[in-house]
Amino acid sequence: PSASRTQPRTSADRSRAAPGAKAPAKPTASAPRSTAPVVADIKTRYQEALEQLRKGQLADAEDTLEQIVKEAPDLSGPKTNLGIIYAKTNRRDDALSAFSKAAAANPRNIVAHNWLGTIYRENKDYPRAEAAYLKALAIDDDYPPTLLNLAILYDEHLPQPAKALDYYKKYKRKADNSETLKLN
């Protein structure tokens, strides 16, 4: 764990973490304390966790995200990223739980639905995998990872070659129109 997470945060730290944020006023008996510094602190730590993920520091990112989930259980993003860490470290049950909670917290979380499909597919639960991918495509019918994953599901696991071909073609069209997507 990094030293910054073990040190208590002061209002000055929170102000630096959120440019333009002012130190909170001291609460009075009639006025509740502002949650803005807490929200800014969570956002700052979430960005730190994403940077840790980008750098491959999975254990540090996991620690940070788990703490955020405890403090802000209604947020979907930290649960999604925890699920990704769990999936990358072969903890499928934990990943399934994290993605399910992320999708419940935000039913429009396309990344969580796509990953749910992948975990179900890896667990050979093909009907649930298909349902999760279709939920993701109901949110965005051009989401490239889901287009490719559904094509693979229909191609390799549910013998539906016509559907597989349709999704492969749609993925390829999307990849051809993108500078970042490549179909090998």
Side-chain angles (χ1 to χ4, degrees):
S2 71
S4 65
R5 286 196 317 266
T6 59
Q7 298 295 323
R9 294 199 182 248
T10 65
S11 59
D13 291 336
R14 288 186 204 100
S15 295
R16 281 194 298 275
K22 296 180 182 173
K26 292 188 178 189
T28 64
S30 61
R33 184 175 172 175
S34 170
T35 60
V38 173
V39 170
D41 179 58
I42 289 172
K43 286 181 181 179
T44 299
R45 288 185 294 130
Y46 184 61
Q47 290 304 314
E48 289 172 8
L50 295 179
E51 182 63 19
Q52 291 165 333
L53 271 173
R54 190 187 67 72
K55 290 179 178 177
Q57 301 167 342
L58 299 183
D60 290 338
E62 182 176 339
D63 290 344
T64 303
L65 291 166
E66 285 176 345
Q67 188 60 41
I68 292 169
V69 167
K70 286 178 189 172
E71 294 171 22
D74 56 323
L75 297 178
S76 180
K79 291 178 184 109
T80 302
N81 286 292
L82 266 177
I84 292 169
I85 291 170
Y86 297 150
K88 287 184 176 190
T89 56
N90 297 316
R91 294 179 280 169
R92 285 190 189 147
D93 290 341
D94 292 334
L96 189 61
S97 175
F99 293 130
S100 295
K101 289 175 184 175
N106 177 4
R108 297 199 48 81
N109 183 333
I110 193 168
V111 175
H113 288 293
N114 182 64
W115 273 97
L116 273 170
T118 300
I119 298 298
Y120 285 133
R121 186 182 74 216
E122 290 173 354
N123 288 342
K124 299 181 185 343
D125 189 345
Y126 304 129
R128 281 189 176 164
E130 179 183 32
Y133 290 142
L134 292 174
K135 279 185 185 178
L137 289 179
I139 297 164
D140 178 356
D141 65 353
D142 282 335
Y143 186 60
T146 303
L147 293 171
L148 182 57
N149 284 329
L150 194 53
I152 292 167
L153 180 70
Y154 287 139
D155 187 22
E156 296 179 6
H157 305 290
L158 301 175
Q160 299 179 39
K163 281 186 177 181
L165 185 59
D166 288 343
Y167 284 106
Y168 279 130
K169 285 179 179 178
K170 193 168 184 180
Y171 174 80
K172 184 170 180 344
R173 277 193 305 274
K174 191 72 177 167
D176 286 346
N177 292 328
S178 172
E179 292 179 21
T180 57
L181 293 175
K182 303 278 186 225
L183 182 64
N184 294 326

